[in-house]
């Protein structure tokens, strides 16, 4: 999410909180549940320049959220159970699911012990190239490049553009410009550009992946725990709607087959890489349904409503991210009010 939309959403959250508007809206906006989206769980303090901090929460915050939802009377359930409740229309109690994308090693080190201690289920969505140690975490590689260098050159629109980035402000601005320019390109081309930049300054992208994400041994160990659901997240973490249908199907099929081969069970839950409107749309929702997924989640913002039983492969999530590590936001988010405001008063967004 861009810094601008983060700022707008925070303003919406604060306004709803301080005016108590969320309480007034809750009777109409309250859902039957929520699926939380997380990535990294890391106790290290946030650095001055860390644009991907939105993908991190601290273990303390994760625990506070778990305490908060349990105290508020939510059931913390698995994706299988959420699927069952949606199919059966069983909504006596509200639910939350915790889901983690990409299979970061800190999930094992810092999140798993917390869920174990509370005896609560959660899910991890694994792209197989990440577990192979050759995943392309280009958005983090770009962050490292800009952190470690005060100046670099990128060939944009046919000409060399020099980025001077000695200060935190300049680094932030550079990251923002280059990241969103890359997101607009063909993904293979964009990744090639980052790989070239890495090579030019001797930054080892493979080491980044090997350090940050779980290998197969760790995934197998964690998957052995019945509290853990392993879901699919494509072979190489590509935005599916930017690929041909055949390529998109290949990315999903390879991922599910490999996970089945490694873990002995074929996943029935899936998360769309990037997951925004530009990365997953009706064609992908239909594809994942056709490929037998019980659920598939996006990064569209929203709570789960009873009507989502018709859109089980287009489920929205509530991002628990570094920018909102404040319990007052959680209360407002779970009222559903900010998403309904954000989505222009539409509760279901699966188009
Ligand atoms: Zn991902």
């Amino acid at each position: 999410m861009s810094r601008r939309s983060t700022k707008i959403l925070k303003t919406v959250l604060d306004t709803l909180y301080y005016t108590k508007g969320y309480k007034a809206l809750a009777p109409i906006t309250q859902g039957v549940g929520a699926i939380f989206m997380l990535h990294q769980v890391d106790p290290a303090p946030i650095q001055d320049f860390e644009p991907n901090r939105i993908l991190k929460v601290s273990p303390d915050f994760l625990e506070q959220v778990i305490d908060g939802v349990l105290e508020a009377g939510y059931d913390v359930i698995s994706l299988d159970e959420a699927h069952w409740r949606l199919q059966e229309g069983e909504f006596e109690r509200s639910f939350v699911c915790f889901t983690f994308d990409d299979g970061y090693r800190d999930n094992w080190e810092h999140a798993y012990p917390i869920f174990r201690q509370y005896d609560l289920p959660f899910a991890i969505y694994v792209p197989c190239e990440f577990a192979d140690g050759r995943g392309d975490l280009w958005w983090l590689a770009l962050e490292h490049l800009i952190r470690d260098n005060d100046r670099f050159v990128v060939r944009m629109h046919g000409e060399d553009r020099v980025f001077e980035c000695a200060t935190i402000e300049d680094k932030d601005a550079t990251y923002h410009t280059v990241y969103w320019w890359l997101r607009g390109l063909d993904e293979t081309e964009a990744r090639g550009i980052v790989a070239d930049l890495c090579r030019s300054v001797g930054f080892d992208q493979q080491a980044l992946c090997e350090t940050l994400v779980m290998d197969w041994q760790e995934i197998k160990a964690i998957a052995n725990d019945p509290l853990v659901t392993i879901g699919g997240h494509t072979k190489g973490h590509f935005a599916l709607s930017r690929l041909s249908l055949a390529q998109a199907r290949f990315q999903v099929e390879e991922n599910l087959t490999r996970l089945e081969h490694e873990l002995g069970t074929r996943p029935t839950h899936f998360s769309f890489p990037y997951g925004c409107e530009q990365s997953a749309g009706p064609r992908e929702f239909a594809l994942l349904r056709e490929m037998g997924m019980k659920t598939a989640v996006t990064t569209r913002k929203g709570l789960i409503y009873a009507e989502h039983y018709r859109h089980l492969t287009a489920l929205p999530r509530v991002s628990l991210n570094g920018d909102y590590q404040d319990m007052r936001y959680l209360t407002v988010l779970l009222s559903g009010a900010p998403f309904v405001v954000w989505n222009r008063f539409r509760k279901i967004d699966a188009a």
Side-chain angles (χ1 to χ4, degrees):
M1 187 157 70
S2 72
R3 282 178 303 171
R4 193 168 161 267
S5 43
T6 301
K7 218 171 148 189
I8 296 171
L9 186 55
K10 271 190 167 176
T11 308
V12 170
L13 291 173
D14 277 330
T15 308
L16 287 167
Y17 183 78
Y18 290 114
T19 60
K20 302 274 177 254
Y22 74 96
K23 285 193 179 165
L25 285 169
I28 30 172
T29 58
Q30 196 107 55
V32 298
I35 302 176
F36 287 130
M37 168 176 68
L38 296 104
H39 289 79
Q40 291 191 257
V41 180
D42 186 352
I46 299 294
Q47 305 182 56
D48 288 342
F49 170 68
E50 195 171 353
N52 289 295
R53 65 178 175 271
I54 57 163
L55 303 176
K56 278 186 184 176
V57 298
S58 70
D60 286 348
F61 181 66
L62 176 60
E63 250 189 286
Q64 281 179 37
V65 171
I66 293 176
D67 286 336
V69 293
L70 292 175
E71 272 164 30
Y74 286 84
D75 289 342
V76 177
I77 61 173
S78 67
L79 290 171
D80 272 342
E81 171 78 16
H83 173 256
W84 182 85
R85 289 193 188 186
L86 282 163
Q87 286 237 303
E88 298 299 315
E90 175 56 62
F91 304 125
E92 213 172 294
R93 291 172 59 85
S94 300
F95 69 85
V96 298
C97 299
F98 285 87
T99 65
F100 295 81
D101 286 12
D102 303 337
Y104 291 97
R105 179 164 289 126
D106 57 33
N107 296 178
W108 163 260
E109 290 168 346
H110 301 297
Y112 179 55
I114 296 174
F115 286 96
R116 201 49 280 173
Q117 182 197 326
Y118 284 83
D119 198 25
L120 293 173
F122 66 103
I124 302 178
Y125 299 107
V126 175
C128 31
E129 284 180 7
F130 282 33
D132 286 334
R134 51 191 180 87
D136 192 346
L137 295 105
W138 63 270
W139 56 96
L140 286 169
L142 184 65
E143 177 180 314
H144 278 267
L145 284 175
I146 297 175
R147 185 178 301 122
D148 299 344
N149 295 279
D150 290 346
R151 178 180 201 270
F152 71 97
V153 181
V154 189
R155 195 150 183 87
M156 290 172 97
H157 313 295
E159 53 188 81
D160 285 346
R161 189 151 161 209
V162 181
F163 289 93
E164 300 287 352
C165 46
T167 67
I168 302 299
E169 289 71 35
D170 287 347
K171 286 184 192 296
D172 273 328
T174 302
Y175 185 88
H176 188 74
T177 305
V178 178
Y179 176 86
W180 286 107
W181 169 66
L182 291 168
R183 282 291 300 269
L185 300 180
D186 168 76
E187 193 166 347
T188 307
E189 187 191 348
R191 290 180 182 203
I193 292 168
V194 177
D196 285 344
L197 284 170
C198 287
R199 261 191 298 276
S200 72
V201 295
F203 180 79
D204 187 347
Q205 264 186 298
Q206 187 161 339
L208 178 72
C209 176
E210 286 169 350
T211 310
L212 282 183
V213 302
M214 287 187 277
D215 59 26
W216 284 111
Q217 229 181 335
E218 290 161 317
I219 290 168
K220 281 179 196 171
I222 207 170
N224 255 332
D225 191 317
L227 290 178
V228 181
T229 300
I230 300 290
H233 198 42
T234 74
K235 176 177 186 283
H237 203 278
F238 280 93
L240 291 184
S241 62
R242 309 282 298 274
L243 304 177
S244 72
L245 183 58
Q247 286 170 325
R249 190 190 301 276
F250 173 79
Q251 280 290 329
V252 179
E253 182 55 41
E254 288 282 304
N255 184 216
L256 299 177
T257 305
R258 179 73 187 279
L259 285 166
E260 181 177 13
H261 174 76
E262 298 288 348
L263 307 175
T265 347
R266 193 171 173 86
T268 51
H269 302 279
F270 181 86
S271 165
F272 293 102
Y274 310 103
C276 53
E277 283 83 345
Q278 295 75 32
S279 310
R283 185 191 73 167
E284 291 69 42
F285 304 151
L287 176 67
L288 272 293
R289 193 168 54 237
E290 179 206 311
M291 294 179 80
M293 290 302 102
K294 286 181 177 171
T295 71
V297 293
T298 65
T299 58
R300 297 187 190 200
K301 303 176 214 334
L303 296 186
I304 304 298
Y305 295 95
E307 300 89 317
H308 273 116
Y309 82 94
R310 288 182 218 270
H311 306 282
L312 289 167
T313 53
L315 299 177
R317 287 188 286 177
V318 173
S319 171
L320 283 187
N321 77 41
D323 276 335
Y324 312 116
Q325 293 192 63
D326 189 321
M327 288 303 285
R328 76 172 189 272
Y329 290 147
L330 183 75
T331 313
V332 183
L333 289 169
L334 286 175
S335 73
F339 306 115
V340 175
V341 173
W342 184 265
N343 294 324
R344 303 204 174 99
F345 293 90
R346 277 176 310 153
K347 289 205 289 192
I348 308 282
D349 176 22

